[in-house]
Amino acid sequence: MTGNTVEKGKEKTAMTGTPCQIMAASLMDNYLEDLPIDLKIGLFCMENFSYNYLKELLKKYDLDLKDVVECRVEKGKMWFYLTEDQIFSIPLSEAKSCMRKSCQICMDFTSEQADISVGSVGSPDGWSTIIVRNEKGLDILEKAEKENYIETKPVSDSGIKLIERLALKKKSENLEEIKKRENIGRPVLSWRIMPEEKYTDEVAENQFSDLKGDVIDIGACVLCGACLLACPENIVEIKDRKPEIKGSCPEGCNACYIACPRTYVPDSISNRDTEKSAFGEYIKIVSAKAPMFQGQDGGIVTALLSYALSENIVDNALVVDKSSQNPWKPKAKLVNNLEAIVKASGTKYSACPIFKSLKE
């Protein structure tokens, strides 16, 4: 293993991310020194979409992303809330033509490696479902509720069953896709979970050239930017579509390969039992809303980040805002104030190199 790959000052950072981004943070946290992520808030995620493909799809309906105020995926459709109170929807079956191919091999719906997972599925309108996964997450949830940042109530049995059904559906369908890819010689390394000792040996000499062949060139890259963040030589770059290298890896460095959520995963982080588990490990599940914040899905992510920042649990937050040049194109930002957190609220359904902003 390599160490000292990510510079870290005294500041603590919270991140909000999709399951693959949370997995990358967990890999870096466990196997690379000094990852500046102290709180992981994961999102429920069925799939992500290509920004360019989605933009082209909307053109077929004479829609422009600059006219979209809010975007949501629910009830089998992709909903676009437009200016002048208009609403337009596209069947999800059609929108899936824009889905990123890397999403088809993801075995995680509820961000199982997060401290706290958040999603709208399973809770009433205006509420979010929160899955608390460890003591850190539980402490923040309880204190945020005590300080009136959020309020909670039990999740209904029907809500639990809905989450379970969707999570297992994703895993079942994507496991079939994994088997198809493996049968034609396109390895899905992230599902070849192995004992930690074997994992250490397996990745010991793998560098960017291996990452390129094993992940990037076969359409498995999730564009999270973990390889860029982990690189101690600053020779990995992401301009738009995929990671590239502008130099040579030093001997013995395997940081980018370890950080990638689509290379091998050790059983210290995940295991094959997750195939049959809808939720992963957790302490409790509740429905919650945030009285102080008017946001998508009850404003819970905004409330939790705001609480963590105001109480100095973290010094800044890694969030995904929208590009000022390209409407609805996601852009990751490292922010340290409530106004910026609120501005970045709302779901963006396209991928972006979230970890890139930590390097910058």
Side-chain angles (χ1 to χ4, degrees):
M1 296 289 168
T2 58
N4 275 336
T5 58
V6 182
E7 293 184 8
K8 180 179 179 180
K10 295 181 180 179
E11 292 191 340
K12 295 181 179 181
T13 299
M15 74 170 286
T16 303
T18 58
C20 54
Q21 294 165 349
I22 296 294
M23 173 62 82
S26 298
L27 287 165
M28 289 188 281
D29 189 38
N30 280 36
Y31 295 99
L32 302 176
E33 295 178 8
D34 299 334
L35 172 70
I37 298 292
D38 296 272
L39 173 64
K40 300 190 290 288
I41 300 177
L43 305 173
F44 292 9
C45 180
M46 190 63 78
E47 68 269 302
N48 245 317
F49 301 90
S50 162
Y51 175 79
N52 289 330
Y53 287 174
L54 194 58
K55 189 176 179 181
E56 290 302 312
L57 177 61
L58 289 180
K59 281 184 179 179
K60 288 172 51 178
Y61 296 96
D62 295 323
L63 289 180
D64 195 313
L65 279 171
K66 66 179 176 58
D67 297 321
V68 176
V69 177
E70 183 180 336
C71 178
R72 301 180 69 127
V73 173
E74 56 188 11
K75 300 177 181 177
K77 294 183 178 182
M78 197 165 194
W79 299 84
F80 299 91
Y81 295 79
L82 312 177
T83 53
E84 300 180 0
D85 296 325
Q86 294 179 308
I87 302 175
F88 181 81
S89 66
I90 296 175
L92 196 53
S93 56
E94 184 177 359
K96 281 184 179 291
S97 65
C98 305
M99 184 172 72
R100 291 177 57 83
K101 298 299 184 286
S102 59
C103 296
Q104 294 176 301
I105 55 172
C106 175
M107 293 291 286
D108 187 353
F109 174 60
T110 61
S111 289
E112 296 174 16
Q113 302 302 317
D115 300 308
I116 298 173
S117 301
V118 180
S120 61
V121 176
S123 290
D125 290 345
W127 293 70
S128 291
T129 300
I130 296 181
I131 303 178
V132 181
R133 301 196 175 276
N134 54 35
E135 293 297 330
K136 180 192 293 184
L138 182 62
D139 183 59
I140 289 175
L141 176 74
E142 291 178 343
K143 289 179 177 176
E145 184 168 18
K146 184 178 180 180
E147 296 297 324
N148 298 316
Y149 278 79
I150 63 172
E151 60 181 78
T152 68
K153 66 178 182 179
V155 179
S156 67
D157 290 342
S158 60
I160 292 290
K161 289 178 181 177
L162 176 59
I163 302 169
E164 184 176 53
R165 186 168 69 249
L166 289 177
L168 293 178
K169 180 177 184 289
K170 176 178 181 177
K171 292 186 178 191
S172 175
E173 291 179 351
N174 287 5
L175 184 57
E176 286 302 310
E177 176 64 24
I178 288 172
K179 291 176 181 178
K180 287 179 183 178
R181 295 192 188 191
E182 294 261 315
N183 285 337
I184 61 173
R186 298 182 69 184
V188 180
L189 302 186
S190 57
W191 196 235
R192 295 183 179 181
I193 298 167
M194 61 182 65
E196 188 168 18
E197 308 77 32
K198 185 179 178 181
Y199 166 79
T200 303
D201 293 337
E202 189 70 42
V203 302
E205 297 181 2
N206 289 349
Q207 300 191 312
F208 188 86
S209 58
D210 301 289
L211 183 67
K212 186 174 185 296
D214 291 346
V215 177
I216 300 168
D217 288 348
I218 63 172
C221 175
V222 301
L223 202 69
C224 66
C227 55
L228 183 153
L229 174 62
C231 178
E233 303 295 315
N234 297 321
I235 57 175
V236 177
E237 61 181 19
I238 301 176
K239 293 181 179 179
D240 188 25
R241 292 184 62 248
K242 59 185 179 180
E244 299 175 344
I245 194 169
K246 56 181 180 181
S248 300
C249 296
E251 184 177 351
C253 180
N254 59 357
C256 64
Y257 200 88
I258 291 172
C260 177
R262 288 293 183 259
T263 59
Y264 298 103
V265 175
D267 61 5
S268 59
I269 290 183
S270 186
N271 59 65
R272 284 297 183 91
D273 292 340
T274 60
E275 176 188 339
K276 301 178 180 64
S277 170
F279 305 105
E281 295 184 4
Y282 68 94
I283 296 175
K284 66 186 297 187
I285 304 177
V286 296
S287 287
K289 68 177 181 179
M292 292 189 289
F293 299 97
Q294 296 296 320
Q296 186 171 338
D297 301 333
I300 288 300
V301 172
T302 301
L304 291 175
L305 289 177
S306 299
Y307 169 75
L309 198 64
S310 65
E311 295 298 316
N312 298 315
I313 296 170
V314 298
D315 301 291
N316 43 51
L318 181 57
V319 298
V320 178
D321 201 349
K322 296 189 290 288
S323 167
S324 57
Q325 287 80 33
N326 300 296
W328 281 94
K329 186 169 187 178
K331 181 176 177 59
K333 293 181 178 179
L334 193 63
V335 301
N336 59 9
N337 61 80
L338 175 60
E339 182 181 359
I341 289 175
V342 172
K343 181 178 178 294
S345 63
T347 304
K348 293 83 184 173
Y349 290 99
S350 299
C352 77
I354 185 171
F355 294 110
K356 185 177 180 181
S357 58
L358 285 177
K359 198 75 166 188
E360 294 171 344

